[in-house]
Amino acid sequence: MRSLLSEDKKAQLRCEGEGLQLLSRSSKKGLWRKLAPDEMIKQYKGQMSVSAEMYFSPEQLKQRNVQSGKIKFYDAQGLYGTVVVDVINSRVKLD
């Protein structure tokens, strides 16, 4: 994936989660809130920040490969880039 904002510091991006719930932080002191699929990500000092929240069942935590998901970023032309997220429980040994 190309670096976000390296070419265009005024890029307008939105993102969607696939397999995980995306949250945005409006301030360091405030509560996290859900990021709407059509909401543009706000820049702060030339950077964009998106936090992902994932929930796991006790059964998932017994597995090595706990969960996978993607964060897809879109600009006005369509898909801008994709980040793949794999959650692995390193305490579970490989067979």
Side-chain angles (χ1 to χ4, degrees):
M1 183 175 109
R2 62 186 165 190
S3 176
L4 295 179
L5 298 179
S6 63
E7 299 139 13
D8 182 4
K9 294 195 184 240
K10 297 190 188 277
Q12 292 291 306
L13 299 177
R14 64 181 182 82
C15 66
E16 294 178 5
E18 184 178 296
L20 46 108
Q21 179 181 2
L22 294 179
L23 298 175
S24 174
R25 193 175 354 187
S26 57
S27 74
K28 291 184 179 181
K29 296 179 183 178
L31 295 175
W32 289 29
R33 60 178 175 75
K34 276 190 178 180
L35 186 64
D38 60 344
E39 183 177 345
M40 295 299 174
I41 304 169
K42 292 184 174 76
Q43 292 186 36
Y44 178 72
K45 294 185 179 181
Q47 297 181 354
M48 292 181 178
S49 172
V50 175
S51 300
E53 184 173 30
M54 293 176 271
Y55 299 94
F56 310 115
S57 70
E59 289 303 313
Q60 284 177 289
L61 293 174
K62 293 176 185 174
Q63 302 171 24
R64 181 162 177 86
N65 296 315
V66 177
Q67 187 174 19
S68 295
K70 295 179 183 177
I71 302 173
K72 294 184 176 183
F73 293 89
Y74 297 89
D75 63 9
Q77 286 75 43
L79 184 63
Y80 185 86
T82 303
V83 175
V84 176
V85 179
D86 288 317
V87 179
I88 297 171
N89 183 351
S90 61
R91 293 182 181 187
V92 175
K93 302 295 180 207
L94 291 173
D95 294 333

